[in-house]
Amino acid sequence: MREHFHAIVVGAGPSGNAAAYTLAKAGLKVLQIERGEYPGSKNVQGAILYADALERIIPTFREDAPLERHVVEQRIWMMDQDGHAGAHYRSSSFNEEKPNRYTIIRAQFDKWFSRQVQAAGALVICETTVTALLRGENGRVEGVVTDRENGVVTADIVILAEGVNGLLGTRAGLRTRPKAEHVALAVKEMHFLPQETIEARFNLKEDEGVVIEATGTITEGMVGTAFIYTNKESLSVGIGCLVSDFGETKTKPYELLDRFKRHSSVHPLIEGAEVKEYAAHLIPEGGYKAIPQLYGDGWLIVGDAGSFVNAAHREGSNLAMTTGRLAAETVIHNRRMGLPNVAENLKRYKDELDRSFVMQDLKKYRNLPETLHTNKQFFTTYPHLISSAAQKLLRVDGDSKRQKEKDITAAFLRTRRFGGLITDVFKMARAWR
Amino acid sequence: MSTTARPPVPPVKVEEKLYQNRYMVDEGRPHVRIQPHDTASPTLRTLVDVCPAGCYSATDDGRVEIIPDGCMECGTCRILCEASGEIEWNYPRGGYGILFKFG
Ligand SMILES: Cc1cc2nc3c(=O)[nH]c(=O)nc-3n(C[C@H](O)[C@H](O)[C@H](O)COP(=O)(O)OP(=O)(O)OC[C@H]3O[C@@H](n4cnc5c(N)ncnc54)[C@H](O)[C@@H]3O)c2cc1C
Ligand code: SF4
């Protein structure tokens, strides 16, 4: 090969596609390398697409992107063994002309995005794994080594959009391997049902969608959440918990998923579905404090490889696309100004990130991962307490309401003691602040 | 709070789940390997339970083996065991391994 490019992008997930698209659109000579058979064949997501991040890159995406349903209702469940207490928010204002959130199927979406990247003029090569970064004198990154014959390619800049595992960055010493308490392992199944069945079960009109996020004792004391998302003719059903917790409890992820599926609140929704895929993937959940060094001489890190996931709000792909776009804009700026892509000129990317919602949001929740990790009662005690409180209040059994309230308060205090309760509330409030 | 005993549930057969998936197995070139050992360390043993594809299994003589054909390349075992040098973890060659249809 030995061809020289203005930029090489490693990976064709949302972050890599956003970067490659933006660069190619600006007329740069771009090579994008993806190890999967096609873009998306290695990727897993819930998946909710947040329109804004993509709209800033491809304003007309709604015309032909493979979108499943736009979200009109969000349900949050606090589950215990027998039931759940929940909050719903539904609004017809979400049936707007340009909806804000959609459910998607990642393999299809990534393929579509990649077609836009190619149409913008980037050279996209699949079935090729980048095995190392090519370093010049004084350590500057000058290209990549791939597992193809004569597979060395050079470029002015290498953008690492390689996802959560970040092998290249780690092996090149640009960053450390993610810690077990900073990554969640999620397992997910695709359940197929007729469109009418989904619409009837979830109270939906055509194209409308519901998302359910669930916490509680379903994760058996581990820090994690489960989800059910409605696609056109399928449901994405999954559950994820911190790898450190899986390691400590030796829980089998597929058994955890199975118990979630058997739960009395979940089973009626998925009953009779045909499962067509079982997937597993990590999610970087360390947040702000886990963000590695993001730039250096000849390289930039974007997306999951940079730990850009807001676990509190389950946002990732939008941060991936935004970081990819901002990285590309920095490279475009440097090129226009005739500046070499060395650390001092690439710092602009970090400055732009700091100014954007990406860093501001992650900073806001910087203490949340630790708060949850060291306070397991949020996943054990509280769901039980809330559920039994709800049950007590709703059962009409001859006890006075005043007595019921007294019993509920007593149950809370007995289980967690007053001091503990107050501290928990305080800690949670601080972490969310 | 209910403490009713639930009827036992049949164990989940992970092979049946993996059967739904598409793979392109790179015959004879496993991308995840375990270093030779006499007795598996406790962390290595956790992989028998924690791997979402059930790739790891315990042998009768206290070792742990891997058959990575059903691997979904999630990286969990790498996060837990690569630092100690007990396993060697790479991506499969380009084009090989799991091929998600939906993802
Ligand atoms: C179960 C689950 C549910 C989620 N739900 C949501 C959600 O609802 N909404 C949301 O916004 N986010 C969600 N996320 C997070 C979101 O999926 C990620 O934040 C996003 O995919 C990150 O994009 P990325 O491009 O950085 O990385 P990836 O999408 O992981 O892409 C990395 C790409 O790089 C390729 N690659 C890696 N190494 C190499 C190499 N050496 N050579 C060549 N190619 C390589 C990979 O094959 C892959 O295609 C979820 C994640 C999971 C796992
Ligand atoms: S990468 Fe994931 S699926 Fe593959 S062997 Fe390791 S834990 Fe199992």
Side-chain angles (χ1 to χ4, degrees):
Chain A
M1 276 196 260
R2 276 287 174 192
E3 218 180 318
H4 187 82
F5 290 84
H6 294 143
I8 292 175
V9 178
V10 181
S15 66
N17 285 338
Y21 181 88
T22 309
L23 291 165
K25 201 84 187 160
L28 273 67
K29 193 174 166 201
V30 181
L31 172 67
Q32 188 181 27
I33 304 172
E34 165 58 46
R35 65 188 191 87
E37 184 184 46
Y38 48 85
S41 62
K42 300 292 183 185
N43 303 342
V44 179
Q45 194 179 324
I48 300 170
L49 173 75
Y50 303 94
D52 179 70
L54 180 57
E55 209 160 9
R56 285 169 198 261
I57 301 164
I58 306 180
T60 57
F61 78 90
R62 290 184 182 83
E63 287 166 17
D64 57 354
L67 306 168
E68 293 285 312
R69 293 172 180 274
H70 65 274
V71 181
V72 296
E73 180 175 328
Q74 161 107 37
R75 302 181 187 171
I76 294 171
W77 285 2
M78 178 67 104
M79 302 176 81
D80 80 347
Q81 242 42 297
D82 307 298
H84 71 271
H88 291 192
Y89 183 70
R90 183 181 178 111
S91 171
S92 60
S93 74
F94 289 130
N95 280 319
E96 57 214 321
E97 198 188 324
K98 292 188 165 183
N100 184 256
R101 293 191 296 166
Y102 295 90
T103 53
I104 55 164
I105 291 173
R106 263 299 286 276
Q108 293 164 8
F109 176 79
D110 287 5
K111 263 192 211 163
W112 168 85
F113 203 167
S114 180
R115 280 199 300 274
Q116 315 308 307
V117 172
Q118 292 172 53
L123 176 63
V124 181
I125 296 185
C126 292
E127 300 193 299
T128 307
T129 302
V130 177
T131 50
L133 295 177
L134 190 69
R135 304 273 201 147
E137 282 166 44
N138 57 44
R140 196 195 141 129
V141 172
E142 294 184 340
V144 298
V145 183
T146 71
D147 63 355
R148 292 241 180 156
E149 219 175 306
N150 302 321
V152 178
V153 207
T154 58
D156 298 344
I157 180 100
V158 176
I159 297 182
L160 295 168
E162 55 175 336
V164 58
N165 270 306
L167 286 190
L168 285 175
T170 310
R171 289 185 183 161
L174 309 180
R175 49 167 290 176
T176 53
R177 186 184 304 108
K179 294 198 188 90
E181 60 272 24
H182 281 167
V183 279
L185 165 64
V187 286
K188 178 198 149 180
E189 283 178 351
M190 287 296 273
H191 288 246
F192 281 77
L193 282 166
Q195 188 172 334
E196 314 79 67
T197 310
I198 292 177
E199 284 158 14
R201 283 184 190 176
F202 288 86
N203 188 21
L204 299 168
K205 285 215 278 291
E206 207 189 340
D207 291 342
E208 292 178 339
V210 165
V211 301
I212 302 175
E213 312 283 359
T215 67
T217 61
I218 38 155
T219 55
E220 297 175 1
M222 299 188 283
V223 174
T225 50
F227 60 88
I228 304 170
Y229 297 157
T230 54
N231 302 316
K232 197 129 231 163
E233 297 182 319
S234 62
L235 303 173
S236 302
V237 182
I239 189 162
C241 301
L242 292 178
V243 168
S244 51
D245 283 355
F246 271 120
E248 267 165 43
T249 59
K250 301 189 200 304
T251 306
K252 293 188 166 74
Y254 38 92
E255 290 191 354
L256 196 70
L257 178 60
D258 202 62
R259 283 192 287 269
F260 176 63
K261 282 160 53 184
R262 285 170 192 276
H263 191 281
S264 56
S265 299
V266 175
H267 189 252
L269 296 174
I270 61 173
E271 196 171 6
E274 190 192 344
V275 181
K276 292 197 183 171
E277 188 167 80
Y278 167 62
H281 205 276
L282 295 180
I283 310 176
E285 299 209 335
Y288 189 74
K289 293 179 181 170
I291 296 174
Q293 171 69 26
L294 296 169
Y295 60 91
D297 291 343
W299 58 275
L300 287 167
I301 291 181
V302 297
D304 275 11
S307 188
F308 291 113
V309 165
N310 182 344
H313 288 267
R314 316 215 83 211
E315 292 176 27
S317 64
N318 56 329
L319 277 65
M321 288 189 264
T322 305
T323 55
R325 173 175 62 84
L326 293 175
E329 285 172 0
T330 296
V331 172
I332 294 165
H333 170 87
N334 287 351
R335 193 170 161 71
R336 288 209 179 118
M337 306 300 281
L339 300 168
N341 285 313
V342 292
E344 59 173 307
N345 298 330
L346 291 169
K347 181 174 177 293
R348 189 187 165 86
Y349 165 54
K350 174 72 171 33
D351 296 341
E352 291 293 328
L353 277 176
D354 285 338
R355 271 195 285 276
S356 73
F357 78 95
V358 173
M359 285 297 198
Q360 284 165 22
D361 284 359
L362 291 180
K363 209 165 182 173
K364 179 172 187 289
Y365 297 112
R366 66 192 174 282
N367 293 321
L368 193 62
E370 282 145 37
T371 307
L372 293 179
H373 191 57
T374 49
N375 294 271
K376 295 291 167 61
Q377 65 276 12
F378 292 120
F379 297 90
T380 50
T381 319
Y382 287 132
H384 273 306
L385 286 171
I386 289 169
S387 172
S388 47
Q391 197 174 122
K392 206 170 204 39
L393 273 176
L394 295 173
R395 254 186 221 286
V396 176
D397 53 9
D399 280 357
S400 74
K401 301 300 182 235
R402 177 165 307 220
Q403 184 57 46
K404 281 174 189 278
E405 277 172 19
K406 254 190 174 159
D407 291 349
I408 290 168
T409 316
F412 267 79
L413 293 183
R414 207 169 39 240
T415 331
R416 203 42 207 148
R417 303 201 184 260
F418 197 60
L421 265 179
I422 297 291
T423 323
D424 288 350
V425 169
F426 187 67
K427 274 188 200 149
M428 214 33 190
R430 240 196 359 206
W432 276 89
R433 194 180 50 193
Chain B
M1 196 173 312
S2 152
T3 49
T4 19
R6 242 160 286 279
V9 290
V12 184
K13 289 210 178 72
V14 70
E15 308 78 36
E16 280 171 20
K17 288 176 179 286
L18 299 173
Y19 192 70
Q20 314 290 335
N21 295 352
R22 251 186 93 209
Y23 293 94
M24 178 88 126
V25 176
D26 200 357
E27 295 295 345
R29 295 173 85 146
H31 62 285
V32 184
R33 289 168 209 259
I34 305 179
Q35 292 303 323
H37 58 279
D38 293 327
T39 320
S41 75
T43 10
L44 194 52
R45 243 173 282 150
T46 59
L47 301 185
V48 174
D49 292 314
V50 169
C51 168
C55 293
Y56 291 85
S57 55
T59 66
D60 291 339
D61 58 359
R63 288 176 303 116
V64 167
E65 286 176 348
I66 181 168
I67 303 175
D69 292 3
C71 173
M72 293 178 279
E73 299 159 34
C74 69
T76 302
C77 57
R78 167 179 175 250
I79 299 289
L80 289 169
C81 276
E82 194 188 44
S84 60
E86 289 166 288
I87 67 167
E88 198 191 304
W89 202 93
N90 279 296
Y91 285 128
R93 276 196 295 163
Y96 289 92
I98 183 81
L99 293 166
F100 290 121
K101 295 166 285 185
F102 308 105

